[in-house]
Amino acid sequence: MAHSPAASAAHPAPIVTLTVNPALDVSTSTEAVQPEHKMRCGPSRVDAGGGGVNVSRVIERLGGHSTAIYAVGGATGQAYRQLLEAEGIIGRAIAIEGSTRENITIDETSTGQQFRFVLQGPTVSEAEWQQCVSATEAAMHLGGYVVPSGSLAPGVPDDFYARIARRARELGVRCVVDASGAALAEVVAEGVYLVKPSGRELGELLGAPTLTIDEKIEAARELVGRGRVEVVALTLGGDGAVLVTADSVTRLASPPITVRSTVGAGDSFLAALVLRLAQGHDLAAAFRAGVAAGVATATTEATELCHRDVVEQFERDLAAAATA
Ligand SMILES: Nc1ncnc2c1ncn2[C@@H]1O[C@H](COP(=O)(O)OP(=O)(O)OP(=O)(O)O)[C@@H](O)[C@H]1O
Ligand SMILES: [Mg+2]
């Protein structure tokens, strides 16, 4: 990689996120989810969601900045854009013909269970996804980070993130990917700085959905050992996370918390990890920040994301535990 300027909290490396299949996240609650009856719902809230955009939103909440590239269309797309702008997210909206999807999260108050309906999303044409690639490339800077994250919309090729990863490498930018299925397989084959699979996603990648945690860690080590992926940040929900590099395996347990909703936990993990790296922290500290933000988001209701003071407290606790 070419020489890159030293990053610090005062002069962080630039971060660009990419979301090709964003969604308006509608969340509400009802007493019991049941067929046929009308289910009267409580108050609802609407958030601009989707992998990369959520990463940008959490970075902003933690006091950092990023550029969000996202594809939107239709009336829902307009609402989406306005919500993001109201949150102070700087970015570039790529206009698409189809209408931005809505995802629905229902909290069932009688049981505490959560139901998440994830819609497929509009088809994105080749010209449209190519524009996303060009806009992302234009926003990448030497020594910076690019974070393509979330599902691929219908019409987008499986190697979409792999294309971004290739350009990032050529431009001296670190590519950090949160993807699943074929998109993850392609990016891992292409080569990338960091991938953040959940335990389930890593199992699927290997065609072995029922691995134990130790087997998943071993699989992550093998992935790094193949030499195409520098870092695997394997997240394990309530079981915490594992960071694997060529010469280290670090496992962190989640601090004990009352879980309210894990929506956005993985995005929060990734956002804090990338922000701390961009601010010049080492991988160990960035990894602690990731766990801190994932846990902090799990303590908030529905689609609500983490709060800065809570994240920073968990970061201090985890740092103290690391040196104890
Ligand atoms: N139940 C939980 N209790 C405590 N922390 C959690 C919980 N769920 C998630 N987290 C935190 O958030 C991080 C990311 O969560 P997780 O591993 O579920 O990833 P994810 O990307 O949200 O999962 P997926 O994409 O499979 O839905 C975890 O490493 C952990 O720090
Ligand atoms: Mg995830």
Side-chain angles (χ1 to χ4, degrees), residues 17-320:
T17 67
L18 171 60
T19 315
V20 74
N21 196 18
L24 270 183
D25 283 328
V26 180
S27 56
T28 187
S29 61
T30 195
E31 201 190 332
V33 175
Q34 49 182 323
E36 300 197 21
H37 291 278
K38 280 185 184 169
M39 292 173 279
R40 301 284 172 194
C41 296
S44 56
R45 67 176 274 163
V46 181
D47 295 280
V53 160
N54 268 344
V55 169
S56 283
R57 290 170 66 212
V58 172
I59 286 175
E60 203 68 26
R61 277 169 170 251
L62 298 180
H65 299 293
S66 66
T67 303
I69 312 290
Y70 54 100
V72 278
T76 39
Q78 266 197 6
Y80 188 93
R81 202 172 159 169
Q82 280 165 6
L83 274 173
L84 267 193
E85 283 167 5
E87 273 190 60
I89 306 297
I90 315 161
R92 166 114 195 258
I94 307 296
I96 60 165
E97 182 97 13
S99 289
T100 297
R101 65 185 169 145
E102 288 168 281
N103 288 339
I104 301 156
T105 301
I106 313 271
D107 284 322
E108 188 182 51
T109 51
S110 56
T111 62
Q113 283 184 302
Q114 188 176 67
F115 295 83
R116 292 166 73 173
F117 299 90
V118 177
L119 277 65
Q120 191 178 40
T123 297
V124 173
S125 71
E126 171 158 8
E128 291 165 350
W129 64 253
Q130 290 281 16
Q131 258 189 295
C132 292
V133 174
S134 325
T136 305
E137 269 189 44
M140 287 189 209
H141 294 285
L142 174 70
Y145 292 81
V146 62
V147 188
S149 171
S151 62
L152 300 183
V156 177
D158 290 342
D159 71 349
F160 183 63
Y161 289 167
R163 288 167 191 251
I164 301 285
R166 191 177 323 137
R167 282 305 286 149
R169 194 167 55 242
E170 287 161 6
L171 295 169
V173 169
R174 282 174 163 175
C175 187
V176 171
V177 175
D178 184 356
S180 57
L184 177 60
E186 293 273 357
V187 94
V188 159
E190 169 62 39
V192 69
Y193 174 64
L194 185 149
V195 288
K196 187 221 88 62
S198 61
R200 181 182 52 80
E201 289 161 344
L202 186 70
E204 280 169 13
L205 177 71
L206 303 164
T210 56
L211 298 179
T212 64
I213 291 182
D214 285 340
E215 286 167 340
K216 283 176 188 159
I217 296 173
E218 191 45 41
R221 292 186 57 193
E222 275 172 32
L223 196 58
V224 169
R226 281 188 230 158
R228 309 292 299 158
V229 177
E230 272 187 61
V231 185
V232 176
L234 169 64
T235 60
L236 300 167
D239 290 320
V242 185
L243 188 84
V244 179
T245 67
D247 45 33
S248 70
V249 175
T250 313
R251 181 155 179 200
L252 277 183
S254 288
I257 53 157
T258 303
V259 177
R260 297 218 173 73
S261 161
T262 60
V263 178
D267 302 328
S268 301
F269 174 98
L270 202 61
L273 182 142
V274 172
L275 177 62
R276 292 293 179 255
L277 288 176
Q279 290 173 333
H281 295 266
D282 63 18
L283 253 179
F287 177 51
R288 289 195 297 269
V291 170
V295 168
T297 289
T299 64
T300 64
E301 301 286 348
T303 50
E304 171 86 27
L305 298 169
C306 53
H307 297 278
R308 182 175 180 171
D309 52 341
V310 178
V311 175
E312 290 176 353
Q313 184 60 50
F314 280 131
E315 271 186 278
R316 283 192 291 272
D317 294 349
L318 289 167

Side-chain angles (χ1 to χ4, degrees), residues 1-22:
M1 187 178 283
H3 171 76
S4 54
S8 67
H11 298 286
I15 303 169
V16 44
T17 67
L18 171 60
T19 315
V20 74
N21 196 18

